Amino acid sequence: MKRFWYIVLFIGVSSSVAIAQTDDALFSQYFSALGYYNPAYAGKSGDLYATALYRMQWLGVKNAPKSALLTADMPWKYGKLNQGVGIVVMSESAGLDERMNAGLQYAVKLKLGKGTMSIGIQAGMINHTFRGDSIYIPAGSDEIVQDDEAITKSELDAMGLDFAAGVMYYTEKYFIGIASAHLLAPKLNLDENFERKVERSYNLTAGYNIPLKNTLFELQPTVMTFTNLQMVSADVTARAVYNKVYNGGLGVRVSDNGKVNAATLYLGALIKGFRIGYAYEFPTSAMNSATTGSHEFMVTYNLKLNNNKGKKNKHKSIRYL
């Protein structure tokens, strides 16, 4: 338990780094799609999991970001070696920009002490589109603006290779993982005047399952810190689970000066084999004068795999709703 709170303290201290725009979509329900942030998560649960997330950010702001995410992973055993495979697809649009990432994941798992060390890699593609044909230049604007060749009037598109890697250590009670995305920091040349550089990013995730005296309840705190060495974003979440069916909680996102710039409400339930979740994020910064907040929806499907026929499965998966 002490280890987990040391992690929380580390994340709070690291949040003093300056905030800037990030190339990666940040989801409020990050704990439901850890594979998006760390390929070492693939195959961790021991079952086939598929998760879909959809985020509508800053409602009321025109052309505000919208993000969609799909992840799926499952264990794979070859001989005595435990492994995992997965897939991740993310699409995001913001204003005239659109971005899509798609990758395949592989992880190898090694017994270490009372837990498991997982080492994962991801290989895929990243695509960036700029919809210059949708640029609006008001009639009567200065002719220099109208004829400026640097202002593209067409749709531009570029694609590049994209890689990620990460490690994760987990036991029956807690997990901690560190990963890096966009390892090659690819430059996407849309045309001779427009280049998009994808910044290399790093993240740390951690979680803990805390059983309470009332055995029907369980507390699940999680944390995530994200940086591209120009900014840091830290999310701290506390959720309670009732009877392994219903869950709810609160979370905060910390800014560069240590102040909370967003607060989040979480709700979720298990319904006929599907885990559904909803998150409402309200900005506590100056953005609250322009938006009513952000909404995020999640659904997860779990298919049990018979990897231990005739044996009692004593492993408790730390899989968050």
Side-chain angles (χ1 to χ4, degrees), residues 57-175:
Q57 189 165 331
W58 300 333
L59 263 67
V61 176
K62 187 176 180 181
N63 296 323
K66 292 182 174 62
S67 308
L69 173 67
L70 174 65
T71 67
D73 68 274
M74 63 179 290
W76 176 37
K77 190 168 185 177
Y78 183 77
K80 295 183 178 181
L81 185 61
N82 291 317
Q83 303 160 87
V85 293
I87 185 172
V88 57
V89 179
M90 193 283 294
S91 176
E92 183 177 44
S93 64
L96 301 178
D97 286 309
E98 295 179 356
R99 185 169 65 89
M100 188 184 78
N101 290 61
L104 298 176
Q105 300 175 330
Y106 169 78
V108 59
K109 304 180 184 305
L110 306 171
K111 192 68 177 177
L112 181 62
K114 296 182 179 180
T116 300
M117 176 67 73
S118 180
I119 304 171
I121 58 173
Q122 177 179 312
M125 304 292 293
I126 183 169
N127 185 83
H128 186 84
T129 300
F130 180 74
R131 294 185 287 109
D133 53 351
S134 297
I135 291 178
Y136 173 69
I137 301 178
S141 297
D142 192 297
E143 290 185 2
I144 296 178
V145 175
Q146 294 279 1
D147 300 330
D148 191 343
E149 295 182 358
I151 302 177
T152 181
K153 308 298 192 302
S154 60
E155 180 177 298
L156 304 179
D157 187 86
M159 181 180 293
L161 292 173
D162 196 33
F163 297 93
V167 296
M168 175 178 285
Y169 181 77
Y170 58 93
T171 69
E172 293 183 354
K173 293 184 178 181
Y174 67 89
F175 74 86

Side-chain angles (χ1 to χ4, degrees), residues 222-234:
T222 53
V223 292
M224 183 185 75
T225 184
F226 175 94
T227 181
N228 60 6
L229 303 184
Q230 299 180 35
M231 56 77 70
V232 166
S233 175

Side-chain angles (χ1 to χ4, degrees), residues 251-274:
V252 294
R253 181 166 294 158
V254 183
S255 66
D256 57 327
N257 56 10
K259 293 184 178 180
V260 174
N261 64 6
T264 307
L265 170 68
Y266 300 96
L267 297 172
L270 175 63
I271 301 176
K272 294 183 178 180
F274 288 88

